[in-house]
Amino acid sequence: HQDSIYSVELARGGRLDNEGGIVTYKQDSIGDLGNEYNEIRTPRGGVYQIRLPDGTKVWLNTESILRFPRRFAGNERRVYAQGELYFEVVRDSTRPFRVELEDYTVEVTGTEFNVRTYVDGPQLTTLISGGVKICGENEFIYLKPGEEAELKQAGGTIRVQQADVESRLAWLRGYFLFDNARLEDIMNELQRWYDFNVFYTNSELKELRFSMDIVKYKEVSEIFDLMEKIRRVSFEVNGNNVILK
């Protein structure tokens, strides 16, 4: 977890140092290598916090990727994100901060927002404070705090909706919050954190609904026990495989 990273050497110099759980990018003395990008990836079960060269803080949920330059040159600050990340952007009106996602770009000068781009769900950008502009292929959308932009599939329409902010940011606070969620969606979340494979003996099981508030660091078997009490479903654990019946 956060405190397990102390110093990560990066390609061509520079390193990530752990300072009280915050991973900070440090320039080394090799010299200026232009706008070369570095990349940090979080494994299953890991949540990391990183401070970028401009002071912006980024939290990466499990199985996420952040690519960022060795320095922010020119008139913009551009990074690439995949998975789920929370940004606390340092304000700089002369250099907008741009987050490149799979199908659109989030543009901002200083704000707090969450992006989610896992392959098993829609692309979501949730605005907590400040303002962002969503730049799609053929459209621009401005979000207000408490709103989120949802894109269900590439080439589709970006829809703006009120966000359940508490649920959306549960991962930052170390727990899962499911409100009448489908079992398949819940299992996808648990798989990313606890690293197992799931199999369904009946596809109808995927549509079962659960509402739960669970601390992340519990053993996954405790979560399965709780779910068995809520609904008539059983979990058979065989090594790294979980079979639902």
Side-chain angles (χ1 to χ4, degrees):
H1 305 299
Q2 289 173 341
D3 290 329
S4 65
I5 304 181
Y6 290 94
S7 181
V8 179
E9 298 296 326
L10 294 170
R12 294 180 175 269
R15 66 185 188 279
L16 300 175
D17 284 348
N18 184 293
E19 299 171 355
I22 302 174
V23 182
T24 302
Y25 177 71
K26 296 291 183 64
Q27 185 83 21
D28 65 9
S29 58
I30 288 178
D32 183 10
L33 294 174
N35 229 23
E36 183 174 326
Y37 273 70
N38 288 306
E39 183 176 282
I40 183 169
R41 292 173 176 252
T42 52
R44 284 191 167 189
V47 172
Y48 299 158
Q49 182 181 347
I50 181 171
R51 186 182 286 114
L52 298 180
D54 68 331
T56 289
K57 294 179 185 176
V58 188
W59 288 258
L60 291 84
N61 201 355
T62 180
E63 284 196 314
S64 298
I65 299 170
L66 179 68
R67 294 181 66 236
F68 60 94
R70 291 170 55 82
R71 65 183 180 87
F72 288 119
N75 59 0
E76 70 170 2
R77 296 168 289 166
R78 186 179 294 266
V79 300
Y80 170 81
Q82 187 178 326
E84 184 165 27
L85 306 91
Y86 184 86
F87 290 83
E88 195 174 284
V89 178
V90 168
R91 179 167 291 280
D92 184 346
S93 59
T94 65
R95 293 190 303 164
F97 193 96
R98 294 185 173 99
V99 183
E100 293 275 358
L101 305 179
E102 195 73 27
D103 294 297
Y104 61 78
T105 301
V106 182
E107 182 177 311
V108 63
T109 52
T111 192
E112 295 182 32
F113 60 97
N114 192 77
V115 296
R116 181 180 174 91
T117 68
Y118 288 126
V119 295
D120 54 43
Q123 288 188 49
L124 293 164
T125 297
T126 309
L127 181 61
I128 310 305
S129 66
V132 298
K133 179 170 73 171
I134 307 296
C135 307
E137 191 173 338
N138 299 305
E139 59 186 328
F140 297 96
I141 293 173
Y142 293 88
L143 293 184
K144 299 173 185 174
E147 290 182 340
E148 68 184 7
E150 178 186 64
L151 177 63
K152 290 196 172 177
Q153 57 194 30
T157 301
I158 299 174
R159 187 168 69 97
V160 176
Q161 59 197 18
Q162 286 300 123
D164 181 350
V165 173
E166 185 179 356
S167 176
R168 195 65 70 214
L169 299 186
W171 71 270
L172 269 179
R173 296 162 185 151
Y175 64 97
F176 298 106
L177 180 57
F178 302 117
D179 182 11
N180 198 35
R182 294 173 61 250
L183 179 57
E184 183 179 26
D185 294 335
I186 292 172
M187 295 304 287
N188 285 339
E189 288 291 306
L190 296 180
Q191 275 182 285
R192 274 190 282 271
W193 189 255
Y194 295 102
D195 194 13
F196 59 81
N197 306 308
V198 62
F199 301 92
Y200 301 87
T201 57
N202 183 340
S203 62
E204 292 178 6
L205 291 170
K206 298 179 181 181
E207 302 302 322
L208 290 176
R209 300 275 176 166
F210 292 81
S211 293
M212 297 183 294
D213 183 345
I214 316 163
V215 175
K216 266 186 180 175
Y217 296 101
K218 281 188 174 178
E219 291 292 327
V220 71
S221 58
E222 295 180 44
I223 299 175
F224 294 160
D225 289 345
L226 174 62
M227 293 173 75
E228 285 179 341
K229 292 173 183 173
I230 296 173
R231 290 277 185 276
R232 295 184 64 181
V233 61
S234 65
F235 296 81
E236 180 182 311
V237 180
N238 184 2
N240 204 39
N241 298 323
V242 177
I243 303 164
L244 278 78
K245 300 178 177 179

